[in-house]
Amino acid sequence: MTKRSQSLWVTSAVAAFAAVLTTAPANALNGADATTGLNFVAKINVGDKTACTGSLVAEQWVLTAASCFSSAGISTSGKPALTTTVTVGRTDLTQTGGSVQPALALVPHADRDLVLVRLSTRIAGTAVKPVQIASAPATGGEQLTKAGFGRTKTEWVPNKLHAGKFTVASATGTAVNLDGSDTATVCQGDAGGPTLRTVNGVPQLVSVTSRSWQGGCLGIDPAETRTGAVDTRVDDLAGWVKEVVSREKVTPADIDGDGKDDLVLQRIDGSVVVHRNLGTTFGPGTVMSTGWGRFLTGTDMGRLYFADITGDGKADLIVHGTDGNVAVRKNMGTYFDGGTHWSTGWGRFVTGTDMGRLYFADITGDGKADLIVHGTDGNVAVRKNMGTYFDGGT
């Protein structure tokens, strides 16, 4: 491998392929053309530094390559450091269909070139459906279809989605090696694009574009003729996707003190959002606190609870850290205050799988939530709310 070839192999981590679908009319999203079934493919713009491709895999989540963000020099976890815009449901970017949304949060896979991007709102309805994740791996000799918005042989920044056939050369536990052709090659701008298998007329996501040689792409040395690509497998990651998209936690609690439970949403971006109970529906969300992204599952930095600790009729925010401390952040009406320490020694009661779990409810009937300790030994103890701490328990 020459030095020039090594450079191409690495820098094409923000690449995909381009063989233009020229047969689809502008309104193909509503017709039976090939692009109709590909409207789950998303265009991702990361600031003004780079653009990539992705796939809608859940109503509010797009899967793409983590290198799309790392190549721009920003973190692939948490809130995007650069304004990131996602266009989905629009295979022709000059049209007005589909949805254009900001990305709110990034959740990377631990050891693959993949990241899930959370959109600001759900893609509802039947016009744009998330792509299914394949359950079987790619096999040698199999023909698969790649799709992306990347550079072509003649255009720097195409406005239309492109697609082409690739042949599986080999597959490993985490990667798929594919052979392109003179009419199908992976070019800059399509990193994270889907590689698809069609089963009974339904596209299934087999892998995600990671890197390529970019042979034949506009701006690449004409001496580079290799069209092969390396993908990241996703056929074995349906469980991971499901786990991430279900991390957001909903808790009923009376936040405004009107005697009716409101809807409290812990978002994956770390915000605590309250949707007030309006009697027959829940109102729009209001952010009351931020910075709690690592308190969703109880397996990272801790867990949050919502219960009326102060006795004013409004649920407060209770922070149970993996360091064992329990702090109470008082409900101030539109936000929770900075908090005070109430109890310690509960580090092994966060996940519920070690020594037990904690709960908060008014056991004594004084209008203030007490601390309930449920041990894995089967015992339940109540520690009474004493106003600034919980007692030794009974």
Side-chain angles (χ1 to χ4, degrees):
M1 183 181 292
T2 66
K3 184 176 181 180
R4 177 181 60 81
S5 296
Q6 288 176 327
S7 175
L8 283 172
W9 188 254
V10 174
T11 58
S12 62
V14 288
F17 80 100
V20 184
L21 287 175
T22 57
T23 59
N27 63 351
L29 282 175
N30 297 318
D33 297 83
T35 49
T36 302
L38 297 179
N39 64 1
F40 55 81
V41 181
K43 173 71 177 288
I44 303 171
N45 291 97
V46 183
D48 58 0
K49 289 192 173 185
T50 191
C52 296
T53 303
S55 301
L56 187 73
V57 292
E59 289 183 340
Q60 205 165 353
W61 293 88
V62 166
L63 180 65
T64 188
S67 53
C68 180
F69 295 89
S70 60
S71 66
I74 65 175
S75 172
T76 59
S77 181
K79 182 179 179 180
L82 294 176
T83 299
T84 299
T85 303
V86 180
T87 303
V88 64
R90 187 183 300 176
T91 56
D92 183 343
L93 300 178
T94 65
Q95 302 300 305
T96 58
S99 177
V100 181
Q101 300 189 30
L104 296 187
L106 306 176
V107 181
H109 190 272
D111 55 14
R112 299 192 196 181
D113 183 19
L114 295 170
V115 65
L116 279 162
V117 181
R118 185 187 185 278
L119 307 180
S120 60
T121 58
R122 297 181 185 277
I123 305 295
T126 59
V128 183
K129 294 182 179 180
V131 64
Q132 295 180 10
I133 295 179
S135 58
T139 58
E142 183 179 10
Q143 270 209 333
L144 301 173
T145 299
K146 278 183 169 291
F149 285 100
R151 187 181 301 177
T152 71
K153 292 184 177 182
T154 58
E155 293 180 281
W156 286 104
V157 186
N159 284 318
K160 291 185 178 181
L161 181 68
H162 305 87
K165 295 289 186 180
F166 282 70
T167 302
V168 177
S170 62
T172 68
T174 59
V176 180
N177 299 298
L178 299 116
D179 293 329
S181 66
D182 291 341
T183 58
T185 188
V186 174
C187 299
Q188 185 170 343
D190 287 332
T195 301
L196 305 161
R197 171 192 295 131
T198 301
V199 178
N200 296 324
V202 178
Q204 295 182 350
L205 183 62
V206 177
S207 56
V208 166
T209 300
S210 180
R211 55 194 187 272
S212 83
W213 293 105
Q214 303 190 78
C217 299
L218 186 63
I220 298 299
D221 188 340
E224 179 55 73
T225 59
R226 288 167 292 189
T227 58
V230 177
D231 275 16
T232 303
R233 279 183 58 181
V234 299
D235 60 274
D236 58 341
L237 295 181
W240 171 69
V241 172
K242 182 178 180 180
E243 188 273 327
V244 171
V245 303
S246 62
R247 279 182 190 174
E248 293 191 331
K249 184 178 179 182
V250 176
T251 304
D254 184 6
I255 299 296
D256 56 11
D258 64 355
K260 298 179 293 185
D261 278 346
D262 306 297
L263 201 62
V264 184
L265 175 64
Q266 285 178 250
R267 286 182 172 171
I268 201 165
D269 63 1
S271 60
V272 173
V273 180
V274 176
H275 295 263
R276 300 190 185 279
N277 186 335
L278 302 180
T280 58
T281 186
F282 291 101
T286 301
V287 177
M288 287 191 64
S289 191
T290 59
W292 304 106
R294 299 179 67 182
F295 286 76
L296 266 172
T297 63
T299 59
D300 191 353
M301 289 185 66
R303 188 184 296 274
L304 302 185
Y305 304 83
F306 299 89
D308 182 10
I309 299 294
T310 58
D312 63 357
K314 298 181 292 184
D316 305 294
L317 169 59
I318 305 158
V319 182
H320 179 193
T322 49
D323 60 2
N325 292 319
V326 173
V328 175
R329 296 196 171 213
K330 184 179 179 181
N331 184 336
M332 305 302 291
T334 57
Y335 65 95
F336 299 104
D337 72 7
T340 56
H341 175 77
W342 273 60
S343 191
T344 192
W346 304 106
R348 299 180 66 182
F349 287 77
V350 180
T351 65
T353 59
D354 189 356
M355 290 185 65
R357 274 287 303 274
L358 303 185
Y359 301 89
F360 298 87
D362 182 11
I363 301 298
T364 59
D366 62 358
K368 298 181 291 185
D370 306 294
L371 169 59
I372 305 163
V373 182
H374 182 198
T376 50
D377 59 2
N379 291 319
V380 175
V382 175
R383 297 199 171 210
K384 184 179 178 181
N385 182 334
M386 304 302 292
T388 57
Y389 66 96
F390 300 106
D391 73 7
T394 54

